[in-house]
Amino acid sequence: MGTIRKMVEGVQFPMLTLIAGHSGTYRRVTGINVVESSDLIMFCRPNELVVTTGINLDAQRDSLEQLVKQAHTKKVAGFIINTGPFIPTIPEAVISFANQYDFPIFQMPWNYRIADLLKTTFQFISSHHQELSIEEKALFNLLFQDKPNTHAIKEQLAQLGFPQGRELAIITCTTIDAQATIDRYEIMIQFALQNRYQRFLKLKHKNHLIFLIDKAQIITPNTPFSKIVEEIYERNISKNGYLDIIIGKGNFHKELENIRNSYEESLAVIHLAQLHNNRYLYKYKEIGVYKIIMAIQNQSLMKSFRQDMLERLYRYDELHNTDYVPFLRIFVEENGSTSRISERQFIHRNTVLYKIKKIEMLLDMDLSNPFTKTSLYMAFLIEDVLTHQ
């Protein structure tokens, strides 16, 4: 993927001089947009280059500075200022802002045509489309290389703004529908995460969008991660009419060798959230007792426990074509609340009570006993783990 750094190091852009934001050259370039007023900033997308001649800007005011700041909030890749009759020189305030926020600013002399810049940029993006960027290579090697060169990866991460010793974690996003592609949601997800994290690395692998985040670079520490995810989900539902995205986050780890664990943890969250159709499961530290079950080595013990608790009911359902096992699962998930069970099952409360009594008789158990409900719920969780290992 083309980056600002490749533009600077290449020979395709002799018309551009990088004058500020040199530490932001890791940014990807996926498009280019000509913007001559702040009203048009809304049409910019993340990772685009923004070009302006200043023809509609007020030279007597700080219009250019405000335009650059607005472009930065849209998470664009960089800003190209066509200096000439409308912008004779680039204000020091613009350069200072760009250096402070690692926001690349290019200067392009007036004798170069905008049309030629657009053509060259499109050719550059097309020729680098299939390449992995430096950040993508670093993240790919970290997560998927058989024998990663840890020292080299540490140096790469440091260059990309992730110094050694930071607490890092992985966020993974994918689609609920296996036939759908995560590509169509990439911009929406990336923009949401850019509003939360000052910097992150991103990799597209199979149908997963994978993000490496730094705990020290959270912009909104007072906003829980769950709120960010829910906002993404709501936008997805608004766009589709249904939820087709699922997001999981692994634990933070200081040791680089443990980042793969964070990736596996994020996948475990996604798997469990899909299994239970639970959109409110986001982070690995929230999966609770599953952690204990997945760590148990004695599978014969788990199988025996699950069989003792549920096998009789499974056999009854099979012989009589009934649905007592799925009903029992809802019963324990709702902690025995007849009103909530009735709402979920779309059945009358009397039917709920009848089924509870029937299951108590078949299993010879008192379902009002908290210990019994806990044991049954454990049996279902064990079943989940055994079935999907």
Side-chain angles (χ1 to χ4, degrees):
M1 197 69 75
T3 63
I4 296 289
R5 180 179 285 110
K6 287 185 178 179
M7 291 180 62
V8 173
E9 294 173 349
V11 297
Q12 295 171 279
F13 297 92
M15 73 290 283
L16 299 182
T17 302
L18 184 64
I19 62 169
H22 293 73
S23 297
T25 55
Y26 62 87
R27 297 170 186 265
R28 292 193 308 133
V29 179
T30 59
I32 188 166
N33 208 330
V34 181
V35 176
E36 299 293 7
S37 75
S38 59
D39 295 336
L40 300 176
I41 285 291
M42 67 172 62
F43 298 107
C44 295
R45 292 186 172 184
N47 298 115
E48 284 185 334
L49 285 169
V50 173
V51 188
T52 190
T53 65
I55 189 171
N56 291 326
L57 300 181
D58 187 346
Q60 304 302 317
R61 305 181 65 183
D62 59 352
S63 301
L64 178 60
E65 181 184 352
Q66 295 307 313
L67 189 65
V68 169
K69 289 180 177 179
Q70 288 174 321
H72 177 262
T73 64
K74 296 295 287 185
K75 313 299 181 182
V76 301
F79 203 101
I80 301 172
I81 300 174
N82 192 198
T83 52
F86 304 110
I87 306 177
T89 59
I90 300 174
E92 185 59 38
V94 170
I95 295 175
S96 177
F97 173 83
N99 286 330
Q100 180 181 355
Y101 291 96
D102 298 335
F103 185 48
I105 298 286
F106 288 97
Q107 180 178 3
M108 186 176 79
W110 187 256
N111 58 306
Y112 285 97
R113 299 191 328 139
I114 296 289
D116 292 335
L117 172 66
L118 297 179
K119 180 180 178 181
T120 302
T121 304
F122 289 137
Q123 291 173 341
F124 170 80
I125 293 169
S126 177
S127 65
H128 291 84
H129 180 68
Q130 298 300 326
E131 295 180 6
L132 289 177
S133 67
I134 294 174
E135 63 180 63
E136 290 170 325
K137 286 179 180 177
L139 189 50
F140 181 87
N141 291 338
L142 179 62
L143 298 180
F144 302 111
Q145 199 173 55
D146 287 338
K147 296 181 179 178
N149 185 333
T150 305
H151 179 71
I153 293 175
K154 285 180 179 178
E155 288 188 346
Q156 284 181 321
L157 291 180
Q159 292 172 2
L160 293 168
F162 294 81
Q164 189 174 348
R166 292 285 184 86
E167 291 186 74
L168 307 178
I170 294 291
I171 297 172
T172 301
C173 313
T174 190
T175 55
I176 295 174
D177 181 1
Q179 303 304 315
T181 174
I182 194 64
D183 293 1
R184 62 184 298 201
Y185 307 119
E186 180 175 357
I187 292 176
M188 178 183 70
I189 295 171
Q190 180 171 314
F191 187 77
L193 294 184
Q194 283 174 327
N195 287 330
R196 178 168 176 80
Y197 303 101
Q198 183 177 345
R199 185 171 298 172
F200 55 73
L201 303 188
K202 186 190 73 173
L203 171 68
K204 192 184 303 177
H205 181 67
K206 298 181 179 178
N207 197 37
H208 290 167
L209 278 177
I210 305 169
F211 298 88
L212 177 71
I213 60 170
D214 181 350
K215 195 173 186 178
Q217 299 197 49
I218 297 177
I219 302 170
T220 55
N222 295 326
T223 302
F225 177 72
S226 58
K227 183 173 176 59
I228 306 301
V229 177
E230 276 304 307
E231 288 174 354
I232 295 173
Y233 285 176
E234 289 303 322
R235 282 196 289 273
N236 179 227
I237 293 170
S238 176
K239 181 178 181 179
N240 282 352
Y242 58 92
L243 182 64
D244 192 34
I245 297 174
I246 190 160
I247 297 174
K249 175 181 166 297
N251 288 333
F252 283 101
H253 298 274
K254 276 191 175 182
E255 297 77 15
L256 202 61
E257 296 79 6
N258 291 334
I259 303 303
R260 288 191 184 189
N261 294 343
S262 187
Y263 174 59
E264 294 298 330
E265 290 162 357
S266 72
L267 295 182
V269 174
I270 288 174
H271 168 70
L272 293 172
Q274 287 180 307
L275 191 63
H276 291 292
N277 192 26
N278 183 358
R279 63 180 273 181
Y280 301 107
L281 186 60
Y282 316 109
K283 297 186 290 187
Y284 185 73
K285 70 177 185 179
E286 295 172 347
I287 67 173
V289 73
Y290 272 118
K291 294 181 189 178
I292 299 172
I293 295 173
M294 288 188 289
I296 296 175
Q297 301 298 317
N298 191 340
Q299 292 210 355
S300 62
L301 175 64
M302 290 199 295
K303 290 177 181 178
S304 175
F305 179 81
R306 175 255 176 213
Q307 185 172 357
D308 290 343
M309 300 301 296
L310 299 174
E311 193 62 30
R312 189 183 304 176
L313 205 57
Y314 267 109
R315 287 204 307 270
Y316 188 90
D317 276 350
E318 185 178 350
L319 290 173
H320 298 87
N321 195 28
T322 50
D323 62 350
Y324 288 120
V325 171
F327 175 87
L328 180 59
R329 176 153 205 158
I330 292 173
F331 173 87
V332 294
E333 287 176 349
E334 298 296 348
N335 196 28
S337 169
T338 54
S339 60
R340 291 199 297 268
I341 296 169
S342 178
E343 289 175 5
R344 281 186 62 176
Q345 291 276 276
F346 301 104
I347 57 178
H348 194 274
R349 182 173 179 275
N350 290 341
T351 305
V352 173
L353 294 173
Y354 169 79
K355 288 192 171 187
I356 292 173
K357 291 297 183 183
K358 184 70 173 180
I359 293 172
E360 286 182 327
M361 181 190 71
L362 292 171
L363 295 182
D364 191 23
M365 294 178 181
D366 177 7
L367 296 187
S368 66
N369 186 306
F371 182 77
T372 300
K373 285 188 284 190
T374 300
S375 298
L376 288 168
Y377 196 38
M378 283 287 291
F380 281 118
L381 298 184
I382 288 171
E383 184 173 77
D384 293 341
V385 172
L386 293 175
T387 304
H388 295 87
Q389 279 183 335

